[in-house]
Amino acid sequence: MPTLFEFAGGIEGLHRLEQTFYDSVLSDAVLQPLFGAGKPEHVDHLTAFTAESFGGPDQFSRELGFAHLIEVHRGLQITEAQRQRFVDLYMDALDAADLPPDPAFREAVREHVEFGSRVAMQNSNAATDADLHPLRDVPRWTWAGDTKP
């Protein structure tokens, strides 16, 4: 069975997905306040993170590290409404970016985004280091139903 990375079309497919998603976020009234005007490197960072999570190269860990991800979310105070909107726009981006409609693939992606958005929300609202989510490494995501972090 291919990895989620391979099934999504590798770096090219995931970059297309993240660009589509990011464009939608920057024009969304609920999420744009979290992202501001955007950053040119953000799509590449999102692509590297998702690629690594889905069984691709470990570029995110080697070049940025998980501590970077914690730091960029700290203090954002993400709300549940913003977290849910993030998930909804991400799932919509799968269609817009022409990623495979396979139900098992879509469910694995949804699980990944639900989990990640909950971690980001917790970290964004952490008043102290003790309040941070315990995750300190890029999670390795697999097909729906497999063991997750």
Side-chain angles (χ1 to χ4, degrees):
M1 184 164 218
T3 64
L4 294 172
F5 173 76
E6 294 164 335
F7 198 80
I11 289 292
E12 296 81 15
L14 290 176
H15 191 274
R16 190 173 63 249
L17 168 64
E18 300 301 2
Q19 184 67 63
T20 301
F21 169 68
Y22 197 61
D23 291 346
S24 71
V25 163
L26 293 179
S27 64
D28 185 78
V30 175
L31 292 179
Q32 187 279 327
L34 294 175
F35 289 83
K39 295 181 180 177
E41 69 277 6
H42 205 162
V43 171
D44 290 340
H45 292 176
L46 287 168
T47 301
F49 178 82
T50 304
E52 187 171 337
S53 290
F54 285 2
D58 66 348
Q59 178 184 354
F60 187 89
S61 290
R62 284 184 293 106
E63 295 180 7
L64 294 169
F66 201 81
H68 168 78
L69 197 57
I70 293 171
E71 187 59 34
V72 299
H73 288 104
R74 292 247 4 215
L76 288 178
Q77 298 182 324
I78 298 169
T79 67
E80 175 57 27
Q82 289 169 320
R83 188 201 70 76
Q84 187 58 59
R85 183 70 177 151
F86 183 98
V87 172
D88 293 344
L89 289 180
Y90 201 92
M91 296 309 293
D92 290 347
L94 289 167
D95 288 330
D98 200 30
L99 263 66
D102 179 80
F105 173 71
R106 295 293 176 103
E107 183 57 26
V109 172
R110 177 176 293 283
E111 287 178 359
H112 167 74
V113 176
E114 287 281 354
F115 175 79
S117 64
R118 290 184 193 288
V119 171
M121 186 172 77
Q122 180 175 340
N123 290 344
S124 79
N125 287 287
T128 68
D129 286 354
D131 297 331
L132 292 169
H133 191 281
L135 186 67
R136 293 296 182 271
D137 295 302
V138 174
R140 307 300 182 178
W141 219 259
T142 57
W143 291 88
D146 288 351
T147 303
K148 308 287 189 300

